[in-house]
Amino acid sequence: MQDKLIREKLIGWYRINQRDLPWRRTFNPYAIWISEAMLQQTQVATVIPYFHRFLRQFPDIHTLAGADLESVLKAWEGMGYYARARNLHRAAIEIVEQYQGKIPSSFMQLKKLPGVGDYIAAAVASIAFQRPFPVVDGNVKRVLSRLFLIDTPVNDASAHKVFYQQALRFIDIHSKDHQGIFNQAIMELGALICRPRNADCLNCPVDSFCQAYQQNLIHHFPMRHKKRKPPEYQVSAAVLRKNGKILITRRKPEGHLGGLWEFPGGKVRKNETPEQACVREIKEEVNLDISVDSFLTTIKHAYTHFKIKMDIFNCTYVSGDLKLNGPVDYRWVSADELELFPFPGADRKFMHLITFS
Ligand code: SF4
């Protein structure tokens, strides 16, 4: 009975208080899938303009499947976590080849697509196809942990299973409501009311059911294992000039920042200066001898599991025939051309300082 009441209260609250977001104005599975992939690691406000641009450029699954990966990465540029873009592209190709371009409505078929885990499969299945699957994201875990004093740390390996079991309580296959609406309601409550800090319990529609609120324990939930401090690596990169053009190289398609273009360089080793690392890395990666002319700048950038501090140097080509060892492609580019390539966020932090002469 209590679960039914919580469900009703949340859905009622959501109908009145939901934000007007572009992906909520449609049941188009393609648009919903794109939005969920974008929202995985990125804030709503950042996603909105990307979502509009992406759908303008790739309005349907066939356009996305037929596009080259580089244009997809370019459309994603600046949002980070590029594996999401690569997976969307691969999944679009699979959908066209295996499902005649129709996004599958089955949770299990969705989950087999590249980049689609439990969360996206449940979100697309429930929101676009009215299938009764609970979604479990960070917002949902926070709300559930507070409602029921669940002490499983949200970043524990077992957390998804534990919270999924709890979320199942609210799935009502006989409900006349749209099956995705409860999922959207609980996520929205986490985003707007049951926030990580400063939860707005006074305006919460389920405060009377919330054990953390009733027992004044909100600040203890959700529990999480302490994160280890991410390591920081010292990196060097070269803005390497030859005949008025600058060398950029492309990373291999898989793995960290796969498929993106960058200014060549790499990690500084022990007992090596950043300048020496720059010369060595260029020799190793593209077989060129260079001179380091001047220091351009230092930037810092944080990824999920590590940070980098990158020194960037203005360099000049001295000798050698370019041979790739690591990167999969290269270009000597002019100032105008530089903008056409997708770059990681770290490289974009200093690109405006580069001069062409
Ligand atoms: S009462 Fe407060 S802590 Fe409990 S669910 Fe509502 S907002 Fe979250």
Side-chain angles (χ1 to χ4, degrees):
M1 187 62 192
Q2 175 188 275
D3 294 349
K4 193 165 178 279
L5 277 174
I6 292 175
R7 181 185 158 92
E8 282 170 5
K9 291 244 178 209
L10 275 178
I11 291 174
W13 171 85
Y14 178 72
R15 287 193 196 286
I16 296 166
N17 295 286
Q18 64 174 291
R19 289 166 291 177
D20 179 19
L21 300 173
W23 45 90
R24 288 191 180 150
R25 295 185 196 158
T26 177
F27 289 114
N28 175 349
Y30 174 71
I32 290 167
W33 171 47
I34 300 295
S35 72
E36 291 299 344
M38 289 183 168
L39 288 163
Q40 281 275 286
Q41 309 279 351
T42 310
Q43 305 271 343
V44 167
T46 308
V47 164
I48 291 173
Y50 277 95
F51 176 78
H52 286 306
R53 272 202 304 272
F54 198 91
L55 285 192
R56 262 200 307 275
Q57 195 174 345
F58 311 109
D60 53 47
I61 197 92
H62 292 280
T63 330
L64 181 57
D68 58 283
L69 176 61
E70 193 153 307
S71 61
V72 179
L73 290 171
K74 186 70 188 164
W76 206 269
E77 187 184 45
M79 212 163 24
Y81 300 96
Y82 292 90
R84 294 179 297 174
R86 292 195 303 271
N87 283 331
L88 273 178
H89 187 237
R90 279 174 52 215
I93 294 169
E94 262 189 52
I95 291 168
V96 167
E97 287 176 355
Q98 292 180 21
Y99 301 102
Q100 294 76 49
K102 281 184 82 175
I103 295 179
S105 58
S106 137
F107 177 82
M108 291 316 292
Q109 284 178 332
L110 283 163
K111 254 194 82 170
K112 284 189 193 145
L113 295 169
V116 177
D118 288 330
Y119 171 78
I120 292 188
V124 174
S126 68
I127 299 168
F129 297 109
Q130 294 226 47
R131 298 290 174 103
F133 289 97
V135 296
V136 176
D137 71 348
N139 283 329
V140 173
K141 286 185 202 160
R142 183 168 61 256
V143 173
L144 292 176
S145 75
R146 289 172 174 169
L147 271 173
F148 304 119
L149 299 184
I150 301 167
D151 58 7
T152 305
V154 287
N155 53 351
D156 189 84
S158 67
H160 184 82
K161 220 171 168 184
V162 170
F163 286 95
Y164 186 85
Q165 285 304 321
Q166 293 294 331
L168 271 177
R169 296 161 59 158
F170 301 104
I171 292 299
D172 177 0
I173 53 168
H174 304 298
S175 166
K176 289 196 177 65
D177 290 317
H178 187 282
Q179 285 295 342
I181 199 167
F182 177 79
N183 288 335
Q184 290 174 291
I186 190 167
M187 288 193 284
E188 192 76 335
L189 188 85
L192 299 184
I193 300 280
C194 194
R195 299 175 296 240
R197 280 175 286 277
N198 304 323
D200 186 8
C201 301
L202 292 177
N203 287 307
C204 177
V206 290
D207 60 336
S208 55
F209 304 97
C210 178
Q211 295 181 40
Y213 179 56
Q214 301 298 334
Q215 297 175 40
N216 203 16
L217 290 171
I218 293 164
H219 302 298
H220 297 277
F221 291 87
M223 295 194 172
R224 58 174 64 245
H225 296 301
K226 270 208 179 105
K227 270 197 201 154
R228 264 189 283 153
K229 226 177 139 195
E232 183 176 277
Y233 300 115
Q234 173 81 49
V235 174
S236 278
V239 175
L240 176 57
R241 292 179 176 80
K242 181 186 173 193
N243 300 332
K245 296 208 168 181
I246 284 176
L247 180 67
I248 58 172
T249 52
R250 189 174 196 194
R251 297 175 69 91
K252 56 181 191 291
E254 317 80 35
H256 182 61
L257 305 176
L260 294 182
W261 291 81
E262 65 183 3
F263 296 88
K267 275 186 203 163
V268 178
R269 292 179 184 162
K270 264 189 195 156
N271 307 322
E272 194 178 47
T273 65
E275 290 90 334
Q276 289 167 334
C278 198
V279 172
R280 175 185 53 72
E281 283 284 341
I282 300 304
K283 184 70 185 169
E284 285 174 8
E285 284 190 356
V286 290
N287 190 44
L288 297 182
D289 295 302
I290 61 167
S291 64
V292 175
D293 304 331
S294 61
F295 168 74
L296 179 64
T297 190
T298 298
I299 59 110
K300 290 186 169 194
H301 197 76
Y303 296 101
T304 325
H305 300 300
F306 64 93
K307 298 177 181 178
I308 59 166
K309 180 166 171 272
M310 182 172 6
D311 290 325
I312 301 101
F313 298 95
N314 290 306
C315 304
T316 306
Y317 166 84
V318 174
S319 63
D321 294 326
L322 199 148
K323 282 193 206 109
L324 295 173
N325 178 26
V328 293
D329 202 356
Y330 74 94
R331 296 276 191 287
W332 291 98
V333 293
S334 61
D336 298 345
E337 291 165 331
L338 205 51
E339 271 307 309
L340 303 176
F341 296 85
F343 284 91
D347 290 44
R348 295 206 79 84
K349 282 184 176 169
F350 63 83
M351 278 169 64
H352 64 284
L353 299 173
I354 296 174
T355 52
F356 283 80
S357 52

